[in-house]
Amino acid sequence: MFTVRGPVDGSQLGFTLMHEHVIFRDTEFSKDYPDLSWQPDRPSALARAVTGLQAAADAGVRTIVDCTAFFHGRDMDFVREVNERVDMHIVVATGIYTFDYLPNMIMRRSLRGPGDRDILTEMFVRDITRGIGDSGIRAQIIKVATDLEGVTPNNERILRAAARAHRETGAPITTHTQPLERNGLDQQRLFRAEGVDLRRVVIGHSGDTTDLDYLMELMDAGSVTGHDRFGLYLPGWAGLPERVDTIFRLCERGYADRIVLSHDSILHNDRNDLASPRMAPMPDWRMTHVPLDVVPLLRERGVSEVDLEAMTVSTPRRILEAGPAY
Ligand SMILES: [Zn+2]
């Protein structure tokens, strides 16, 4: 499989966080207002990102999946420079991060990609087969998102484009959902309609809910659920004990091979005002929380070593070792 540093055998992946971000930024904002974006400059942002990723490596993380898609402000130069300084496998994503809005270069050219296919499919396939921009770094997973708006016409178009790129390349799909809306099921419905093997799909952010029936329904259809926002304990969302308990109950029922863990943390995020006290209440939202805190809590709660290995090593490997096109 492909990583930022080149091809890697699946056996080398080890402990894997399946949904993280190296960088989140608005490229136009950072071009025109660099100091406001980088806080205050690129070298300091790079240094902070290196420190955060090195801490994860020191905690035993061997691989992260960077789910930063188009519209997040992907920056392969930044990711590569971080990776040159930290010994870690970084798998990067294609896809698009939007819940409904699509810009004109996509709206107006809806089906005008080469071969008269959706230009979104063309973008995703290029990132996977040729690499992102001129970086030479090939994406290995396709990221799409559905949120409170639900499956709007634009969202349906995005999900179908992802499904087609998946079938054309074999690269797995990983999603953003709003589990309180149970819209992972809507995503599955559309993917199924496109002939997608749901076992090759990660329904992300599922761990924000404690609704076992919803989670089991997603996994009974074959998909992996992402319990991938450890540390992001926003008001009204499941806290750490609830998240740990939910995973324990699912493991008891035999679902450990369809669960992956992560934080959805971001090493450089231009949405965060570094000087703001609002940053303070989420001290656990960092790439070391799962290996250092969550895994020991799961173990204490009664999750077996076999199940822990499945969630952190073998299931991520199974997903990332892209199957053939079909
Ligand atoms: Zn994310």
Side-chain angles (χ1 to χ4, degrees), residues 19-21 24 67 72 97 143 176 205 229 264-266:
H19 190 129
E20 304 294 340
H21 300 276
F24 240 55
C67 290
H72 272 131
Y97 181 71
K143 157 80 173 291
H176 164 113
H205 309 340
R229 279 176 155 175
D264 198 11
S265 71
I266 305 161

Side-chain angles (χ1 to χ4, degrees), residues 73-92:
R74 285 187 305 187
D75 184 339
M76 285 304 119
D77 291 332
F78 189 87
V79 174
R80 193 200 306 271
E81 283 175 60
V82 171
N83 206 178
E84 278 167 0
R85 291 160 173 79
V86 182
D87 182 18
M88 176 84 72
H89 303 303
I90 304 180
V91 174
V92 300

Side-chain angles (χ1 to χ4, degrees), residues 116-129:
D116 214 24
R117 63 178 173 185
D118 194 320
I119 197 166
L120 286 167
T121 307
E122 173 70 17
M123 290 160 63
F124 302 163
V125 170
R126 277 191 194 195
D127 286 349
I128 295 162
T129 58

